[in-house]
Amino acid sequence: MIPIISVILPIHNAEKTLKETLDSLICQTYKNFEIIAIDDGSKDSSLSILNKYSKQEPRLRIISRTNKGLPHTLNEGIGLARGKYIARMDADDICLPIRFEKQIAFLEKNNLDLCGTQIQEFGLNSRKSSLPITEEGCIIKSLFSCSFKKRSKASLSKKHRSTKLIIIKINNSSCCFFQSCNTTIFKYI
């Protein structure tokens, strides 16, 4: 079965957090997804952890290679994705069990190509991200700063995955990103 969501999971020396990240993905209430885990030249036991999980989790696809950096790794993941949507995870992230279920329902109901969610940081620097929640707020914020924080979790439809510009601009400038997608309407859930 072709997955609806392709989760791009770049990994570099993440042995301390990777198990918790994978557990949070595997426990999703929405089950039709693949995990594209790209080990970007880790020197720790990250690859060993991935191999252990892959024996029990058929949705996990592992790519291991020398370090090429995050932008290259994300673009490689997009190239390998089979799903209609892309979901981003970092190897030190944990997602709530209903994340994909809510995002897919929202994207499909509203015929959207992109959605993002707020994040709750934990540990030493605990805080909740302060992103706008209205369409107008998103547009205003995108004029002056990046609406997608480095760790924001976006789901992106397949029709907007054709160039490297998309990934680079998610991390650098939401204005350029939305211009490349030819859309001015975006909403947060």
Side-chain angles (χ1 to χ4, degrees), residues 19-167:
K19 290 178 187 178
E20 207 167 359
T21 298
L22 290 169
D23 288 341
S24 77
L25 286 169
I26 292 166
C27 291
Q28 289 295 301
T29 55
Y30 186 86
K31 302 294 184 192
N32 190 3
F33 65 92
E34 66 178 340
I35 303 167
I36 302 170
I38 303 177
D39 181 45
D40 190 27
S42 294
K43 304 278 187 222
D44 64 4
S45 65
S46 295
L47 183 57
S48 175
I49 293 167
L50 288 170
N51 287 327
K52 180 181 175 187
Y53 271 79
S54 71
K55 292 176 184 171
Q56 310 256 329
E57 181 52 62
R59 296 174 293 183
L60 179 60
R61 295 169 53 197
I62 302 169
I63 292 86
S64 179
R65 52 156 173 72
T66 60
N67 182 273
K68 295 184 179 180
L70 184 60
H72 185 279
T73 302
L74 293 174
N75 283 310
E76 182 178 353
I78 287 173
L80 295 168
R82 297 179 298 150
K84 178 180 179 183
Y85 297 102
I86 298 244
R88 256 292 267 126
M89 280 289 279
D90 287 324
D92 63 349
D93 291 345
I94 299 168
C95 55
L96 295 173
I98 59 170
R99 173 188 169 194
F100 295 159
E101 182 180 338
K102 289 184 87 171
Q103 286 182 325
I104 289 297
F106 187 81
L107 286 163
E108 297 290 328
K109 177 183 174 192
N110 295 287
N111 194 28
L112 295 174
D113 295 316
L114 177 74
C115 73
T117 59
Q118 289 191 335
I119 60 167
Q120 174 71 49
E121 292 185 19
F122 50 92
L124 296 175
N125 299 319
S126 297
R127 67 179 177 84
K128 196 170 197 171
S129 66
S130 57
L131 299 173
I133 58 172
T134 65
E135 182 177 322
E136 294 80 16
C138 291
I139 291 169
I140 290 168
K141 181 155 179 86
S142 73
L143 294 174
F144 300 103
S145 65
C146 179
S147 293
F148 289 95
K149 297 199 181 267
K150 178 179 178 270
R151 295 179 182 235
S152 76
K153 299 303 154 216
S155 294
L156 177 65
S157 78
K158 196 170 202 167
K159 68 181 176 182
H160 294 305
R161 293 191 225 161
S162 59
T163 67
K164 291 183 179 183
L165 178 65
I166 290 171
I167 287 299

Side-chain angles (χ1 to χ4, degrees), residues 112-114 135 138-139 178 182-187:
L112 295 174
D113 295 316
L114 177 74
E135 182 177 322
C138 291
I139 291 169
F178 287 111
N182 296 320
T183 184
T184 57
I185 297 175
F186 50 98
K187 299 182 184 211

